[in-house]
Amino acid sequence: DAKTTQPNSMESNEEEPVHLPCNHSTISGTDYIHWYRQLPSQGPEYVIHGLTSNVNNRMASLAIAEDRKSSTLILHRATLRDAAVYYCILRDVSTYKYIFGTGTRLKVLA
Amino acid sequence: DGGITQSPKYLFRKEGQNVTLSCEQNLNHDAMYWYRQDPGQGLRLIYYSQIVNDFQKGDIAEGYSVSREKKESFPLTVTSAQKNPTAFYLCASSKYIVRTYEQYFGPGTRLTVT
């Protein structure tokens, strides 16, 4: 299974943009890049996913490197409610399995 | 409202007892999953099921068992053979979106075995 590497923690000021990096140098051609986030004592929630092109939705943007070996989740204006653990996950389109790493704990400062 | 329910939220058991965790979904999803999360760690896959009456072992299936008799339900039994069962257990289901599968998670069950 392909692996992802993320920083353990990051801090951001409220209402500023946040760029959360993820390295996935062993990604295969059929792996989709998913991002989920988990608030304390809750189940993870879907944020965004992509394959090759950059993606935008109401929650965030996903920037994928041209060689697909890294990606960045962008929160355009961080709020206190965005404080969570963010997981970058690779998932092969042919399987149902997701491999979660330890994620990045985002702290948002008021 | 559609969603995934897990019950109970907190569960306490004595060592040596089997315990079954409930997971129900009304999202009409085909696939369901069980994960385990230890403090400060990511999620690890225990079992998953792609369709009724079929399931596969994940990465840490030893000491656990599941059944999938109905599309809506995927109960997990933690047996006495599981060496360190105290953990946060999460159930999820998935649908098909844009050639991949978004997972929806339940609120989790925190199991403590003493």
Side-chain angles (χ1 to χ4, degrees):
Chain A
D1 295 320
K3 303 290 186 196
T4 61
T5 304
Q6 300 175 253
N8 288 334
S9 63
M10 291 184 66
E11 282 188 2
S12 173
N13 293 320
E14 198 176 9
E15 300 197 2
E16 289 187 356
V18 181
H19 290 234
L20 298 167
C22 181
N23 287 321
H24 28 79
S25 57
T26 59
I27 192 170
S28 73
T30 53
D31 283 341
Y32 275 76
I33 302 160
H34 289 247
W35 284 81
Y36 282 73
R37 71 180 187 182
Q38 185 178 23
L39 279 65
S41 297
Q42 294 187 25
E45 65 171 343
Y46 168 83
V47 177
I48 201 166
H49 78 278
L51 182 61
T52 56
S53 305
N54 293 346
V55 184
N56 299 297
N57 66 19
R58 64 174 179 81
M59 289 182 70
S61 295
L62 176 60
I64 301 172
E66 196 169 333
D67 63 6
R68 301 210 325 125
K69 293 185 176 182
S70 65
S71 61
T72 302
L73 179 70
I74 303 165
L75 306 179
H76 296 288
R77 289 181 65 212
T79 70
L80 296 177
R81 288 177 294 181
D82 291 323
V85 178
Y86 286 80
Y87 295 100
C88 169
I89 305 148
L90 300 183
R91 184 181 177 281
D92 190 296
V93 71
S94 63
T95 73
Y96 285 79
K97 289 178 65 175
Y98 292 72
I99 306 299
F100 283 76
T102 54
T104 296
R105 183 173 299 277
L106 176 65
K107 186 175 181 180
V108 180
L109 306 174
Chain B
D1 271 21
I4 299 177
T5 56
Q6 291 185 244
S7 59
K9 190 170 178 65
Y10 297 96
L11 191 55
F12 299 88
R13 281 293 183 270
K14 294 288 188 186
E15 194 173 324
Q17 293 178 334
N18 290 355
V19 58
T20 297
L21 281 58
S22 166
C23 177
E24 303 280 332
Q25 55 101 357
N26 60 2
L27 299 166
N28 199 32
H29 288 172
D30 288 313
M32 297 187 74
Y33 312 75
W34 273 105
Y35 292 91
R36 169 186 172 132
Q37 188 174 35
D38 294 289
Q41 303 297 311
L43 281 67
R44 291 185 291 168
L45 183 64
I46 304 172
Y47 269 98
Y48 64 105
S49 168
Q50 299 179 20
I51 197 168
V52 174
N53 293 322
D54 185 53
F55 48 84
Q56 289 79 39
K57 291 182 179 180
D59 301 314
I60 55 164
E62 186 175 347
Y64 299 97
S65 66
V66 293
S67 62
R68 186 86 188 276
E69 297 175 2
K70 297 187 299 182
K71 188 175 186 178
E72 304 80 23
S73 179
F74 191 41
L76 173 74
T77 297
V78 184
T79 75
S80 56
Q82 168 51 231
K83 295 284 187 280
N84 187 16
T86 295
F88 187 46
Y89 290 88
L90 287 156
C91 178
S93 67
S94 69
K95 67 177 185 180
Y96 179 80
I97 56 165
V98 193
R99 298 189 63 199
T100 185
Y101 298 85
E102 174 185 343
Q103 286 196 324
Y104 292 79
F105 284 83
T109 292
R110 194 168 296 280
L111 173 65
T112 302
V113 177
T114 57

